Amino acid sequence: MFEVAETRQAQAHARALIVYQRSTAQDDSEILQEIQLLTTSAGAIVVETVTAFRRSPDASTFIGKGKLDEVKRIVESQEIDLLILNHSVSPIQERNLERAIQTRVIDRTGLILDIFAQRASSHEGKLQVELAQLKHLSTRLVRGWTHLERQKGGIGLRGPGETQLETDRRLIGHRIKALNKRLETVSAQRQLRRKSRAKVPVPTVSLVGYTNAGKSSLFNTITRADVYAEDQLFATLDTTMRRVELEEFGASILSDTVGFIRDLPHSLVQAFHSTLEEVSNAQLLLHVIDVASYFREQCISEVNKVLLEIEASTIPTIMVYNKIDLTDNSPRIKRNAEGLVEAVWVSAHNGQGIDLLLDAIAEHLSRQHIQCSVVLPASNGKLRAILYQKSLVREEQIGDGGEFQLWLDLSPADLGWLKKQHNVASITQL
């Protein structure tokens, strides 16, 4: 419906021509490599790539007249099915290009949305992608197809004289409202699960990073899970969480979610807001970086932009330089002037440095802990068992009246939770 399925089907094994137009002198190799990988990730075949230099886009067709003539020739001679622009263009520019070259045109945002639609597997993920697609499509109902321009009658669908274009807009609006309501319900369920976890608080550590930096591979190596991980962009979209036992600390939860990318469509950030809340509520972020990438600094900058947008930029972060097996780097830890772990070099592929990373996580989480003593009545054996289960008890004595005096090592969240429990006679911070 509304061309979403049509777009995806048209791109499968389509012969694609990529157009990249820069406005300044710069190294294009990494940008071109990324758009080519995005195109192949969507299922299309890259036939040729055209680059251009223009200080400002053409108001009508984005690319200039000379470059447009070149594109027409390539489309005809190479039997191109799809033109992909590595830019976000206006609906008018997209429509004018389609009319000029008689071939379907999609911009960078549309391409990323299509990949997300293919990768989403959970119910929530599918709802989020469809919402983002419809919001993007609603601004693009200006195509020159005849069915959008003529008057068309319809019983029970629209008022007298309403065009097909107006009908499409209205139906899309209704669908967007319905999706928003369903996502609100899913978000409320996520909040309930988060509150349930908070009753027995376990710190959450979230993996973030540029797409294809190796987050899911690292997640699998640490947790021994089987999350889908491939050498492609946006291999996984849905948040996955696993419990991890850390030596000298105890239990923690490791979460993996969607990777970031430059110029990530704002509609996607909005649509995935409830999913990204897991990042915003983490006690520690592991910023995974492809150390073998020549453009890793630009990737770090792009990830930081998204973290700022989702209000997660102030969360403590450890930089994890992954893929050292592809470089001359060796496993090691870097500390800042205060002695805190700042970065770790690892390889998710062969496991090098993973032990250092786990030690760094445990060390960081332990630094947030508070030592205190608590007295529990003999009748509160259940709470005592929970404290032992969470590995929070350092020492214990049993009083003459059968009460338990426990010396604990707690995180701020643990301490707040403990204060809300019943039958706690006293808590004394040491």
Side-chain angles (χ1 to χ4, degrees), residues 179-194:
L179 287 172
N180 277 323
K181 287 183 179 179
R182 291 169 68 179
L183 282 171
E184 286 175 4
T185 301
V186 173
S187 181
Q189 293 170 346
R190 185 184 292 278
Q191 289 283 1
L192 287 175
R193 290 196 296 270
R194 192 175 292 125

Side-chain angles (χ1 to χ4, degrees), residues 153-296:
I155 298 175
L157 290 177
R158 52 190 174 274
E162 185 176 28
T163 65
Q164 182 67 40
L165 176 60
E166 290 165 341
T167 301
D168 286 350
R169 282 177 175 157
R170 181 164 52 82
L171 292 177
I172 286 178
H174 291 333
R175 180 61 178 166
I176 287 175
K177 288 181 181 179
L179 287 172
N180 277 323
K181 287 183 179 179
R182 291 169 68 179
L183 282 171
E184 286 175 4
T185 301
V186 173
S187 181
Q189 293 170 346
R190 185 184 292 278
Q191 289 283 1
L192 287 175
R193 290 196 296 270
R194 192 175 292 125
K195 287 181 179 179
S196 178
R197 293 201 305 267
K199 291 180 180 179
V200 184
V202 177
T204 299
V205 179
S206 286
L207 292 166
V208 298
Y210 207 78
T211 183
N212 209 32
K215 292 188 296 80
S216 295
S217 296
L218 184 62
F219 181 86
N220 288 338
T221 301
I222 293 175
T223 65
R224 298 181 182 178
D226 56 354
V227 173
Y228 181 69
E230 285 292 336
D231 185 18
Q232 60 184 14
L233 302 186
F234 304 117
T236 53
L237 292 184
D238 302 306
T239 298
T240 307
M241 309 182 80
R242 293 287 188 277
R243 186 184 180 96
V244 177
E245 293 293 334
L246 300 171
E247 291 186 15
E248 306 299 327
F249 177 78
S252 66
I253 292 176
L254 186 66
S255 71
D256 180 29
T257 188
V258 61
F260 304 149
I261 195 170
R262 69 165 53 85
D263 302 324
L264 187 68
H266 185 69
S267 57
L268 273 180
V269 177
Q270 286 183 316
F272 278 78
H273 187 268
S274 61
T275 301
L276 294 174
E277 282 180 354
E278 296 294 347
V279 175
S280 303
N281 286 278
Q283 281 72 54
L284 175 66
L285 301 183
L286 301 181
H287 184 164
V288 184
I289 302 152
D290 181 357
V291 72
S293 172
Y294 181 75
F295 298 92
R296 57 183 176 272

